[in-house]
């Protein structure tokens, strides 16, 4: 299959383009239309370059829609290669009770095919267990940036 990312030349045609593409896909079973959620692109796929050019020409003639085409983006994923440790101490003493917190964080790679894993290494009972879900969410949020999601990681705090 050959794929192209498309976008309308005119901003006003964004609503008309999906209907036109679905009508063309109904007529030709080898013509596929999909939306890539990671790259946020509208991708059309066909048997070859000539097939896609013919389908886009049909869309231009029948629906009066001009589109810009380019190669689809490849969704990248990142991972770490070695173990790493970090330490952060937060102290804020500006009158009153103040704030204090200390975090020891360890990050290590996992085997291929595994996702994100969080290990709760809190000991001693000085930190309430109710903070563990918030700590897990914070680690997961830092580990999955919007630009390129990361995979295969274990975080221990």
């Amino acid at each position: 299959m050959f794929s192209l990312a498309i976008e309308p030349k005119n901003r006003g045609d964004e609503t008309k383009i999906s209907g036109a593409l679905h009508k063309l896909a109904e007529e030709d079973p080898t013509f596929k239309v999909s939306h890539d959620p990671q790259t946020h692109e509208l991708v059309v796929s066909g048997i070859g370059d000539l097939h896609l050019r013919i389908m886009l020409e049909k869309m231009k003639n029948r629906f009066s829609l001009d589109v810009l085409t380019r190669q689809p983006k490849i969704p990248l994923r990142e991972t770490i290669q070695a173990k790493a440790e970090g330490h952060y101490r937060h102290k804020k003493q500006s009158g009153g009770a103040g704030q204090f917190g200390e975090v020891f964080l360890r990050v290590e790679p996992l085997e291929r095919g595994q996702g994100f894993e969080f290990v709760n290494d809190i000991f001693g009972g000085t930190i309430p267990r109710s903070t563990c879900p918030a700590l897990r969410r914070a680690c997961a949020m830092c580990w999955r940036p919007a630009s390129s999601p990361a995979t295969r990681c274990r975080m221990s705090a």
Side-chain angles (χ1 to χ4, degrees):
M1 298 286 290
F2 189 81
S3 299
L4 286 174
I6 63 170
E7 63 182 51
K9 277 188 180 177
N10 302 323
R11 288 290 168 198
D13 293 340
E14 289 175 348
T15 55
K16 295 186 338 184
I17 197 168
S18 64
L21 287 172
H22 287 293
K23 284 182 183 177
L24 291 174
E26 286 176 4
E27 295 172 4
D28 187 350
T30 60
F31 182 70
K32 305 287 182 203
V33 179
S34 63
H35 181 270
D36 191 338
Q38 293 176 345
T39 60
H40 306 289
E41 290 181 319
L42 187 60
V43 179
V44 293
S45 302
I47 296 173
D49 182 45
L50 181 62
H51 179 232
L52 289 181
R53 296 290 168 199
I54 291 171
M55 295 305 281
L56 295 177
E57 192 65 32
K58 281 183 184 180
M59 187 170 66
K60 182 178 179 180
N61 293 338
R62 288 174 39 191
F63 301 102
S64 302
L65 290 171
D66 283 332
V67 293
L68 301 172
T69 61
R70 64 175 182 277
Q71 291 295 320
K73 293 179 187 172
I74 298 172
L76 299 177
R77 299 199 178 267
E78 298 178 21
T79 190
I80 59 171
Q81 300 295 322
K83 292 181 183 181
E85 292 187 8
H87 170 248
Y88 177 72
R89 180 176 291 154
H90 173 76
K91 286 194 285 188
K92 185 175 179 185
Q93 305 291 332
S94 60
Q99 298 174 348
F100 178 80
E102 192 168 19
V103 176
F104 293 91
L105 186 69
R106 186 178 12 195
V107 180
E108 56 189 85
L110 292 174
E111 295 298 319
R112 186 175 294 273
Q114 295 179 341
F116 173 77
E117 180 183 326
F118 178 76
V119 179
N120 182 4
D121 284 342
I122 296 174
F123 60 90
T126 58
I127 299 173
R129 292 283 178 201
S130 61
T131 61
C132 295
L135 184 58
R136 184 189 195 299
R137 279 193 308 271
C139 287
M141 194 169 58
C142 290
W143 186 242
R144 299 191 191 285
S147 60
S148 59
T151 59
R152 304 179 345 171
C153 175
R154 175 184 294 131
M155 286 185 154
S156 305

